[in-house]
Amino acid sequence: KNEVEQSPQNLTAQEGEFITINCSYSVGISALHWLQQHPGGGIVSLFMLSSGKKKHGRLIATINIQEKHSSLHITASHPRDSAVYICAVHGGATNKLIFGTGTLLAVQP
Amino acid sequence: DTAVSQTPKYLVTQMGNDKSIKCEQNLGHDTMYWYKQDSKKFLKIMFSYNNKELIINETVPNRFSPKSPDKAHLNLHINSLELGDSAVYFCASSLGQGNGYTFGSGTRLTVV
């Protein structure tokens, strides 16, 4: 079982919908990251969280340290949001970045 | 200005060859990383360097040898390439471990 689990693995939404991607982890962490990878392949860091909630534009990320769970929300989704969203935690026994398997999001017009 | 730049972007080579991928960052970060993304898009760390010193070395074959001439550069040399080495390799950097990461655009390596 992977130390970082994401759900769903695949998500198709209509433009304008509110989207939630979930991430659960089983190790002690110092920080949690949400990354975005577009079809072209580049990876962009969206958020780094150690507690609470962060907002950037239409993106909101929350983390519950006690429950070892984080969510990434996208409000008013748009086709340009189509990408793979990757949750990664910094921690574990060797204090390294451990990645989830990603959520492939497709937003249809 | 590119923050983390990797070269080449694409690399096609035959089995048994030796190749290098270069990475440079101009962010003033002190920690650099190499990650491998397999065909299922799963990312995994290979190496991490802090101020030119190796701090993480995952279970990577000895054929992979990172070299960090200074804290702005982390190159990856691969000897005797095998088919299973085909993947996308990402370089990244951060200021200290666990802080915000900046990724390069990736190098797609295809071994034929």
Side-chain angles (χ1 to χ4, degrees):
Chain A
K1 192 175 188 292
N2 200 26
E3 292 164 301
V4 181
E5 296 284 347
Q6 286 184 237
S7 62
Q9 288 191 334
N10 295 282
L11 181 57
T12 300
Q14 294 297 313
E15 184 173 356
E17 285 185 3
F18 180 82
I19 289 163
T20 296
I21 301 170
N22 295 300
C23 175
S24 296
Y25 54 92
S26 57
V27 296
I29 71 169
S30 57
L32 182 143
H33 300 257
W34 280 103
L35 310 171
Q36 180 192 56
Q37 185 172 25
H38 273 287
I43 298 174
V44 174
S45 179
L46 298 174
F47 294 103
M48 183 178 76
L49 292 162
S50 54
S51 64
K53 176 179 171 179
K54 286 191 176 179
K55 184 174 189 293
H56 185 254
R58 294 179 295 106
L59 302 178
I60 303 165
T62 63
I63 187 168
N64 185 318
I65 297 294
Q66 287 73 31
E67 294 184 3
K68 294 189 174 180
H69 181 269
S70 174
S71 293
L72 176 69
H73 304 288
I74 305 175
T75 61
S77 59
H78 190 276
R80 64 175 175 265
D81 298 325
S82 299
V84 175
Y85 292 83
I86 303 168
C87 172
V89 300
H90 193 269
T94 54
N95 200 30
K96 63 186 180 185
L97 201 60
I98 306 167
F99 296 87
T101 51
T103 296
L104 176 60
L105 170 67
V107 181
Q108 297 178 340
Chain B
D1 287 344
T2 304
V4 179
S5 61
Q6 291 179 233
T7 54
K9 191 170 175 62
Y10 299 97
L11 184 53
V12 180
T13 188
Q14 291 188 325
M15 276 197 312
N17 283 350
D18 303 338
K19 290 294 178 185
S20 291
I21 307 171
K22 295 186 176 181
C23 180
E24 175 182 4
Q25 54 94 5
N26 62 4
L27 297 165
H29 288 170
D30 57 2
T31 308
M32 296 185 72
Y33 312 83
W34 277 109
Y35 295 95
K36 181 179 179 180
Q37 187 173 44
D38 61 24
S39 57
K40 295 182 180 178
K41 301 285 190 181
F42 187 64
L43 279 155
K44 195 167 183 183
I45 189 162
M46 300 173 69
F47 301 103
S48 171
Y49 271 72
N50 178 262
N51 283 318
K52 304 191 298 176
E53 299 295 323
L54 180 67
I55 51 174
I56 292 176
N57 183 351
E58 287 295 286
T59 50
V60 177
N62 291 337
R63 299 181 295 102
F64 290 78
S65 54
K67 285 188 171 49
S68 182
D70 55 61
K71 69 176 188 178
H73 295 83
L74 180 61
N75 303 322
L76 184 65
H77 188 76
I78 316 170
N79 290 326
S80 303
L81 278 155
E82 299 177 358
L83 292 176
D85 298 331
S86 296
V88 181
Y89 292 85
F90 284 95
C91 177
S93 70
S94 66
L95 189 61
Q97 282 188 275
N99 292 320
Y101 292 79
T102 302
F103 286 82
S105 57
T107 296
R108 181 175 294 277
L109 171 65
T110 304
V111 182
V112 297

